[in-house]
Amino acid sequence: MSVTSTTVPSKTPEQGRPDRNRSTGNRPAPRRGRRVEPIFYLFLLPSLVLFTLAITVPGIVGIFFSFTNSIGIGDWEFVGLTNYIAIFSDPAILQSYLFTFGFSIVTVIAVNVIAFLLAVGLTSRIRMKSALRTIFVIPMVVSGIIIAYVFNFLFSNSLPSLGTAAGIPWLENSLLANPDLAWIAVVVVTAWQAVPGSLLIYIAGLVAVPGDVYEAAELDGAGKVQQLWRITLPLVAGYVVINVILGFKGFLNAYDIIVGLTNGGPGTSTRSIAITVITGFNGGDYAYQMANATIFFLVAVVISLVQLSLTRGRSAL
């Protein structure tokens, strides 16, 4: 009679060791925060010092002098909120804010409509797309003041001559000399330079849209207009928000193109906030215009907060 022996497998150290994940409910152990190397702070220090000396300190000094009667040099005295109170009753200041915001809204709409339509065309199946994209982005690399002087000549000489030859009465005189129409020239030139930047963003958004989405829409019988309205626009909505916010904030600071075209005229019809502030500095209203600049800074902060609320947690596509 033979006896069969049964071998009991021995437990390995890993099998005998309790499962930490099982004992803690499959929760991973907390990770410690990554330690920042001191060398990174060393690289950050020069930029931080330059930003503080060039922007933060002058800004604080300017806000301080907005509560005085300083003209930029010489003695000064504290006047409290006198400058701020006077600003809200100054028609010239209110006119500059009205023009700046109106000009910014109109230009944002024009730039985004034109840039989006161009982006749709430049991402479609056409020939010479790369060459056309290069041509359309040229205005972005040209200085704004140079563009303004070129268009100043066109609006002051070429277009009136063309209007006289063609018998168009409203074109015979320069738009820049008309207080009611000068803003149109400013919008046209500003949009001409700003379209390429928005165009590149829209092209990036349109290229990122999956092609099978359009193929499925075509199989369902959707036309090109329906695809544009019901597919393209919703999928690039994030890019539209980015372009609108960046464009609006940039147009609020409009200066060089307006100076080259109208210098704020005729009269004060095209005087932006930036031109008003700088003109006041040169005219001896340093403290008064510093108060104006402080208010404008607060407006920019509010717009930035709105931007963060609109873009927080939203991807571009």
Side-chain angles (χ1 to χ4, degrees), residues 238-250:
Y239 295 91
V240 175
V241 173
I242 292 173
N243 271 331
V244 169
I245 292 175
L246 294 179
F248 188 73
K249 289 175 62 178

Side-chain angles (χ1 to χ4, degrees), residues 155-156 159-160 170-171 173-179 181-185 266:
F155 282 120
S156 301
L159 286 181
W170 64 271
L171 199 59
N173 298 319
S174 174
L175 293 177
L176 303 179
N178 191 329
L181 300 178
W183 67 272
I184 298 178

Side-chain angles (χ1 to χ4, degrees), residues 4 21 41 73 78 113 128 154 179 181 201 214 238 244 258 269:
T4 304
N21 288 337
Y41 293 110
I73 58 174
F78 279 103
V113 170
M128 301 178 62
L154 295 177
L181 300 178
I201 295 177
Y214 295 104
V244 169
I258 300 179
S269 59

